[in-house]
């Protein structure tokens, strides 16, 4: 079989699998048409990066892109507590559980347009630098670049690829002044980011000039967005406080910032709500295409498996759109078909041994 055959075959294997994905398992699935060594060589022969991802999803991206498309940035951590530690599988701080977790940290750039989500760039957070923590006297790892630097790199690549988009969306972990400057001044695009409640802002040019900044959660809020300045930026921005109700009946507060000064309350809330698409995508890549369900041993094969999982999730998205089902319903449909076939096989075995 040629390389493209294995590429598509491995992708289909991830979409249809419901457990761990192995080279042996794939070989057995196709009755040895591709052997274990061929699959292993496929995963280890080169590094599959964002550049390769764009090559395989470019055509689909061109079909769905729109001028009002959004780029959504977020990272996700997949725990791998029992795997051998290396520069990819190591300790990362997970803000969802407020502690460090041993596993894989994936930074994703998801493009959303015309009701379709598509991964257009990604970075795996690797920590090749080892050092001794002075306070704890324990060895730790660190990256050569920050996640915010990786985010700006992905933004640059999306522009080089001439992808149409209007807004960049991200939560408060990526609302650094450098990111906002880069989008506003260098790319001349719009952003809508969340802000932490302790972010320092000024609502008048006089307060800004005199350095009188106050926490965003302590200002008096009008009904709609308010214009002002955030500490660290020279250009004016728009602030908005959104009060929402949780499923348990409790209320929460979300602070938003944008450089689109003419944006309304409805615009900010509606556009930023699209950021949830990346959360759904991350759930899908973990549940539907086996992001962490591979026994790969080396950094390259582990990274390439994640790349294939990303691409498989994109293909599953396209398939589910054509069938009018969401990704999880599509996966359930495949699972039901597999169970039905297994049930038929069991009945045949009983008849043959009767």
């Amino acid at each position: 079989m040629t390389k493209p055959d294995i590429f598509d075959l491995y992708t289909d294997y991830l979409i249809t699998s419901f457990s761990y994905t192995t080279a042996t398992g794939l070989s057995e699935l196709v009755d040895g048409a591709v052997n274990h060594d061929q699959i292993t060589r496929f995963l280890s022969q080169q590094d599959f990066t964002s550049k390769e991802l764009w090559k395989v999803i470019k055509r689909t991206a061109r079909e769905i892109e729109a001028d009002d498309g959004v780029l959504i940035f977020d990272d996700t951590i997949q725990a791998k507590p029992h795997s051998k530690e290396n520069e990819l599988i190591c300790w990362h701080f997970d803000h969802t559980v407020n502690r460090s977790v041993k596993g894989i940290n994936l930074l994703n750039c998801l493009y959303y347009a015309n009701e379709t989500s598509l991964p257009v760039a990604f970075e795996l957070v690797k920590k090749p630098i080892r050092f001794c923590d002075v306070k704890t006297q324990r060895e730790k790892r660190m990256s050569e670049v920050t996640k915010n630097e990786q985010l700006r790199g992905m933004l640059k690549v999306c522009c080089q690829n001439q992808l149409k988009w209007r807004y960049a969306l991200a939560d408060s972990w990526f609302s650094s002044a450098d990111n906002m400057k880069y989008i506003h001044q260098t790319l001349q695009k719009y952003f809508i980011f969340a802000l932490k409640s302790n972010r320092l802002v000024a609502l008048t040019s006089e307060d800004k000039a005199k350095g009188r900044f106050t926490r965003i959660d302590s200002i008096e809020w009008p009904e709609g967005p308010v214009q002002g300045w955030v500490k660290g930026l020279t250009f004016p921005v728009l602030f908005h406080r959104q009060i929402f109700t949780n499923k348990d009946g409790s209320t929460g507060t979300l602070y938003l910032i944008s450089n689109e000064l003419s944006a309304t309350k409805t615009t900010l809330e509606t556009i930023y709500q699209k950021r949830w698409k990346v959360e759904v995508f991350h759930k899908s890549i973990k549940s539907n295409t086996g992001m962490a369900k591979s026994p790969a041993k080396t950094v390259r094969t582990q990274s390439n498996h994640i790349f294939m999982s990303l691409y498989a999730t994109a293909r599953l998205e396209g398939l589910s759109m054509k069938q009018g089902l969401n990704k999880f319903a599509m996966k359930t449909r495949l699972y039901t078909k597999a169970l039905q076939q297994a049930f038929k096989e069991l009945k045949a075995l009983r008849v043959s041994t009767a």
Side-chain angles (χ1 to χ4, degrees):
M1 261 188 184
T2 63
K3 174 187 169 183
D5 289 328
I6 298 180
F7 191 96
D8 291 335
L9 192 63
Y10 196 91
T11 305
D12 289 343
Y13 179 45
L14 294 182
I15 293 174
T16 56
S17 179
F18 303 101
S19 185
Y20 274 84
T21 53
T22 66
T24 301
L26 176 54
S27 180
E28 291 176 348
L29 182 66
V30 294
D31 294 326
V34 179
N35 63 44
H36 174 280
D37 291 342
Q38 285 177 290
I39 300 164
T40 301
R41 283 196 298 271
F42 166 71
L43 289 175
S44 60
Q45 63 187 349
Q46 71 176 81
D47 291 318
F48 292 137
T49 65
S50 267
K51 185 176 181 180
E52 282 67 42
L53 180 64
W54 176 249
K55 289 178 182 177
V56 295
I57 57 89
K58 179 179 178 180
R59 181 177 177 179
T60 305
R62 295 301 184 218
E63 292 174 351
I64 69 165
E65 69 178 339
D67 291 330
D68 63 350
V70 297
L71 293 177
I72 312 168
F73 295 89
D74 197 15
D75 70 322
T76 186
I77 294 176
Q78 174 63 62
K80 296 274 287 185
H82 305 299
S83 297
K84 184 177 180 181
E85 183 175 327
N86 55 37
E87 64 183 61
L88 175 65
I89 299 177
C90 50
W91 292 88
H92 306 277
F93 184 79
D94 188 347
H95 60 83
T96 62
V97 294
N98 202 33
R99 61 181 175 83
S100 291
V101 174
K102 182 184 176 185
I104 299 164
N105 193 185
L106 170 66
L107 177 59
N108 232 340
C109 174
L110 191 73
Y111 182 65
Y112 182 71
N114 286 315
E115 305 299 320
T116 305
S117 302
L118 195 66
V120 291
F122 76 98
E123 290 288 347
L124 290 167
V125 178
K126 298 179 180 178
K127 298 183 177 181
I129 302 174
R130 298 184 180 186
F131 68 98
C132 180
D133 185 275
V134 176
K135 186 176 181 180
T136 63
Q137 295 296 303
R138 297 179 65 180
E139 183 182 87
K140 291 188 176 181
R141 289 177 175 267
M142 65 180 294
S143 301
E144 295 176 325
V145 295
T146 68
K147 280 189 274 191
N148 282 318
E149 289 172 329
Q150 290 177 321
L151 182 149
R152 293 193 293 275
M154 288 191 286
L155 277 167
K156 181 179 179 180
V157 167
C158 288
C159 289
Q160 290 173 342
N161 290 334
Q162 299 182 343
L163 185 65
K164 296 177 182 179
W165 60 280
R166 182 176 176 85
Y167 300 95
L169 311 179
D171 63 18
S172 60
W173 296 93
F174 297 100
S175 60
S176 70
D178 286 339
N179 288 345
M180 290 188 277
K181 288 177 186 176
Y182 185 73
I183 295 169
H184 179 80
Q185 297 174 339
T186 304
L187 302 183
Q188 297 184 350
K189 294 280 190 176
Y190 292 125
F191 59 79
I192 303 177
F193 289 164
L195 289 180
K196 293 183 178 179
S197 60
N198 62 354
R199 200 66 178 265
L200 298 179
V201 302
L203 299 186
T204 67
S205 56
E206 180 182 358
D207 284 343
K208 174 183 176 295
K210 294 183 178 181
R212 294 197 297 253
F213 291 89
T214 186
R215 287 173 56 122
I216 195 170
D217 62 353
S218 65
I219 65 176
E220 293 292 329
W221 285 94
E223 180 63 26
V226 59
Q227 187 173 314
W229 289 261
V230 67
K231 191 171 185 179
L233 297 182
T234 57
F235 54 88
V237 291
L238 209 61
F239 301 113
H240 175 57
R241 183 183 66 170
Q242 180 181 358
I243 307 296
F244 56 91
T245 303
N246 298 310
K247 290 183 179 180
D248 61 2
S250 62
T251 59
T253 303
L254 178 66
Y255 298 101
L256 298 177
I257 182 173
S258 178
N259 59 332
E260 187 178 25
L261 301 182
S262 61
T264 64
K265 169 181 179 293
T266 301
T267 298
L268 293 174
E269 293 182 3
T270 302
I271 298 300
Y272 189 74
Q273 190 176 23
K274 295 179 180 180
R275 197 199 71 81
W276 185 251
K277 297 296 180 180
V278 75
E279 303 288 354
V280 177
F281 185 84
H282 285 160
K283 182 179 179 181
S284 183
I285 193 176
K286 293 177 181 180
S287 303
N288 294 333
T289 59
M291 171 183 168
K293 295 179 179 179
S294 168
K297 301 298 182 184
T298 69
V299 171
R300 172 175 281 183
T301 55
Q302 290 165 346
S303 301
N304 285 344
H305 171 79
I306 296 169
F307 168 91
M308 296 302 296
S309 182
L310 273 169
Y311 179 53
T313 307
R315 287 187 63 186
L316 183 62
E317 170 81 9
L319 184 62
S320 64
M321 289 293 294
K322 291 179 181 178
Q323 295 295 322
L325 296 170
N326 67 47
K327 294 182 286 292
F328 300 95
M330 178 61 67
K331 190 72 175 185
T332 300
R333 181 175 176 179
L334 293 173
Y335 181 62
T336 301
K337 291 291 184 181
L339 283 177
Q340 289 172 344
Q341 187 60 40
F343 190 71
K344 290 179 182 179
E345 182 68 17
L346 178 60
K347 289 180 69 176
L349 288 172
R350 283 177 175 169
V351 170
S352 66
T353 56

